[in-house]
Coordinates of all heavy atoms in Angstrom, one line a residue:
I1 N -4.4 -8.4 -8.3 CA -4.2 -7.0 -8.1 C -3.4 -6.4 -9.2 O -2.2 -6.8 -9.3 CB -3.6 -6.7 -6.7 CG1 -4.5 -7.2 -5.6 CG2 -3.4 -5.2 -6.6 CD1 -3.9 -7.0 -4.1
S2 N -4.0 -5.6 -10.0 CA -3.3 -5.0 -11.1 C -2.2 -3.9 -10.6 O -1.1 -4.0 -11.2 CB -4.4 -4.3 -12.0 OG -3.7 -3.7 -13.1
S3 N -2.7 -3.1 -9.8 CA -1.8 -2.1 -9.3 C -2.2 -1.6 -7.9 O -3.3 -1.8 -7.5 CB -1.8 -0.9 -10.2 OG -3.1 -0.2 -10.2
M4 N -1.3 -1.2 -7.2 CA -1.4 -0.6 -5.9 C -0.6 0.7 -5.9 O 0.3 0.9 -6.6 CB -1.0 -1.6 -4.8 CG -1.9 -2.8 -4.7 SD -1.4 -3.9 -3.4 CE -2.1 -3.1 -2.0
G5 N -1.0 1.5 -4.9 CA -0.4 2.8 -4.7 C -0.6 3.5 -3.5 O -1.4 3.1 -2.6
W6 N 0.2 4.5 -3.3 CA 0.0 5.4 -2.2 C -0.4 6.8 -2.5 O 0.2 7.3 -3.5 CB 1.4 5.4 -1.4 CG 1.8 4.1 -0.7 CD1 2.6 3.2 -1.2 CD2 1.4 3.7 0.6 NE1 2.8 2.2 -0.3 CE2 2.0 2.5 0.8 CE3 0.5 4.3 1.5 CZ2 1.7 1.8 1.9 CZ3 0.2 3.5 2.7 CH2 0.9 2.3 2.9
Y7 N -1.3 7.3 -1.8 CA -1.8 8.7 -2.0 C -1.7 9.3 -0.6 O -1.6 8.6 0.4 CB -3.2 8.7 -2.5 CG -3.3 8.2 -3.9 CD1 -3.3 6.8 -4.2 CD2 -3.6 9.0 -5.0 CE1 -3.3 6.3 -5.4 CE2 -3.7 8.5 -6.3 CZ -3.5 7.2 -6.5 OH -3.7 6.7 -7.8
R8 N -1.6 10.7 -0.7 CA -1.6 11.3 0.6 C -2.5 12.5 0.6 O -2.8 13.1 -0.5 CB -0.2 11.8 1.0 CG 0.4 12.8 0.1 CD 1.9 12.9 0.5 NE 2.6 14.0 -0.4 CZ 3.9 14.2 -0.4 NH1 4.6 13.5 0.5 NH2 4.4 15.1 -1.1
Q9 N -2.9 12.9 1.7 CA -3.9 14.1 1.9 C -3.6 14.8 3.2 O -3.6 14.2 4.3 CB -5.3 13.6 1.9 CG -6.3 14.8 1.8 CD -7.7 14.2 1.3 OE1 -8.1 13.1 1.6 NE2 -8.5 15.1 0.9
A10 N -3.2 16.0 3.0 CA -3.0 16.9 4.2 C -4.2 17.8 4.4 O -4.9 18.0 3.5 CB -1.7 17.8 3.9
P11 N -4.4 18.2 5.6 CA -5.5 19.1 5.9 C -5.7 20.3 4.9 O -4.7 20.9 4.7 CB -5.3 19.5 7.3 CG -4.5 18.5 7.9 CD -3.6 18.1 6.8
G12 N -6.8 20.4 4.4 CA -7.0 21.5 3.4 C -6.6 21.3 2.1 O -6.8 22.1 1.3
N13 N -5.9 20.2 1.8 CA -5.4 19.8 0.5 C -6.1 18.7 -0.2 O -6.8 18.0 0.4 CB -3.9 19.5 0.7 CG -2.9 20.6 1.1 OD1 -3.4 21.6 1.4 ND2 -1.6 20.4 1.0
E14 N -5.9 18.8 -1.5 CA -6.5 17.6 -2.3 C -5.6 16.4 -2.1 O -4.4 16.4 -1.9 CB -6.5 18.1 -3.8 CG -7.4 19.2 -4.1 CD -8.8 18.9 -4.0 OE1 -9.2 17.7 -4.2 OE2 -9.6 19.7 -3.7
R15 N -6.3 15.3 -2.2 CA -5.6 14.0 -2.2 C -4.7 14.0 -3.5 O -5.1 14.2 -4.5 CB -6.5 12.8 -2.2 CG -5.9 11.5 -2.1 CD -6.9 10.4 -2.0 NE -7.7 10.6 -0.8 CZ -8.7 9.7 -0.4 NH1 -8.9 8.7 -1.2 NH2 -9.4 9.9 0.7
E16 N -3.5 13.6 -3.2 CA -2.5 13.6 -4.3 C -1.8 12.2 -4.4 O -1.5 11.5 -3.4 CB -1.5 14.7 -4.1 CG -0.6 14.6 -3.0 CD 0.5 15.6 -2.9 OE1 0.8 16.2 -3.9 OE2 1.1 15.8 -1.8
L17 N -1.4 11.8 -5.6 CA -0.7 10.6 -5.8 C 0.8 10.8 -5.2 O 1.4 11.7 -5.5 CB -0.6 10.3 -7.3 CG 0.1 9.1 -7.7 CD1 -0.6 8.5 -9.0 CD2 1.6 9.3 -8.1
V18 N 1.2 9.7 -4.6 CA 2.5 9.7 -4.1 C 3.4 8.7 -5.0 O 4.4 9.1 -5.6 CB 2.7 9.3 -2.7 CG1 4.2 9.1 -2.2 CG2 1.9 10.2 -1.8
A19 N 2.9 7.5 -5.1 CA 3.6 6.5 -5.9 C 2.6 5.4 -6.3 O 1.8 5.0 -5.3 CB 4.8 5.9 -5.2
T20 N 2.8 4.7 -7.3 CA 2.0 3.6 -7.7 C 2.9 2.5 -8.3 O 4.0 2.8 -8.7 CB 0.9 3.9 -8.8 OG1 1.5 4.4 -9.9 CG2 -0.1 4.9 -8.2
I21 N 2.4 1.3 -8.2 CA 3.3 0.2 -8.8 C 2.3 -0.8 -9.3 O 1.3 -1.2 -8.8 CB 4.2 -0.4 -7.8 CG1 5.1 -1.5 -8.3 CG2 3.4 -1.0 -6.5 CD1 6.2 -2.0 -7.5
T22 N 2.6 -1.3 -10.5 CA 1.8 -2.4 -11.1 C 2.4 -3.7 -10.7 O 3.4 -3.8 -10.1 CB 1.9 -2.3 -12.6 OG1 3.1 -2.6 -13.1 CG2 1.5 -0.9 -13.1
S23 N 1.5 -4.7 -10.9 CA 2.0 -6.1 -10.6 C 3.3 -6.5 -11.4 O 4.0 -7.3 -10.9 CB 0.9 -7.1 -10.9 OG 0.6 -7.1 -12.3
G24 N 3.5 -5.8 -12.5 CA 4.7 -6.1 -13.2 C 5.9 -5.3 -12.8 O 6.9 -5.4 -13.3
G25 N 5.7 -4.4 -11.8 CA 6.8 -3.6 -11.2 C 7.0 -2.2 -11.9 O 7.9 -1.6 -11.5
I26 N 6.0 -1.8 -12.7 CA 6.2 -0.4 -13.2 C 5.8 0.5 -12.2 O 4.6 0.4 -11.6 CB 5.3 -0.4 -14.5 CG1 5.7 -1.3 -15.5 CG2 5.4 1.1 -15.0 CD1 4.8 -1.4 -16.7
T27 N 6.6 1.5 -12.0 CA 6.4 2.5 -10.9 C 6.1 3.9 -11.4 O 6.5 4.2 -12.5 CB 7.5 2.5 -9.9 OG1 8.7 2.8 -10.6 CG2 7.7 1.1 -9.2
N28 N 5.4 4.6 -10.7 CA 5.1 6.0 -11.0 C 5.2 6.8 -9.6 O 4.7 6.4 -8.6 CB 3.7 6.2 -11.6 CG 3.5 7.6 -12.0 OD1 4.3 8.3 -12.5 ND2 2.2 8.0 -11.8
Y29 N 6.0 8.0 -9.7 CA 6.1 8.7 -8.5 C 5.8 10.2 -8.8 O 6.0 10.7 -9.9 CB 7.7 8.8 -8.1 CG 8.2 7.4 -7.6 CD1 8.7 6.5 -8.5 CD2 8.0 7.0 -6.3 CE1 9.2 5.3 -8.1 CE2 8.5 5.8 -5.9 CZ 9.1 4.9 -6.8 OH 9.6 3.7 -6.3
A30 N 5.3 10.8 -7.8 CA 5.1 12.2 -7.8 C 6.5 12.9 -7.8 O 7.5 12.4 -7.2 CB 4.4 12.7 -6.6
D31 N 6.6 14.0 -8.5 CA 7.9 14.7 -8.6 C 8.6 15.0 -7.3 O 9.7 15.0 -7.1 CB 7.8 15.9 -9.5 CG 7.6 15.6 -11.0 OD1 7.9 14.5 -11.4 OD2 7.2 16.4 -11.8
S32 N 7.7 15.3 -6.4 CA 8.1 15.8 -5.1 C 8.8 14.7 -4.2 O 9.5 15.0 -3.2 CB 6.8 16.4 -4.3 OG 5.9 15.5 -4.1
V33 N 8.5 13.4 -4.6 CA 9.1 12.4 -3.7 C 10.1 11.6 -4.5 O 10.7 10.6 -4.0 CB 8.0 11.4 -3.2 CG1 6.9 12.3 -2.5 CG2 7.4 10.6 -4.3

């Protein structure tokens, strides 16, 4: 698994990225979280 992540979708909203992480531990977060 190269990377995994969390996305979220609220009613009426587009799916948005929350956070991702690579197998090497590199992370990416939405500014809101």
Side-chain angles (χ1 to χ4, degrees):
I1 300 178
S2 176
S3 64
M4 297 181 71
W6 292 97
Y7 294 72
R8 67 187 182 188
Q9 189 166 22
N13 291 10
E14 296 289 329
R15 184 176 297 180
E16 63 176 345
L17 181 148
V18 177
T20 60
I21 186 168
T22 70
S23 62
I26 300 173
T27 58
N28 181 41
Y29 295 93
D31 288 340
S32 60
V33 306

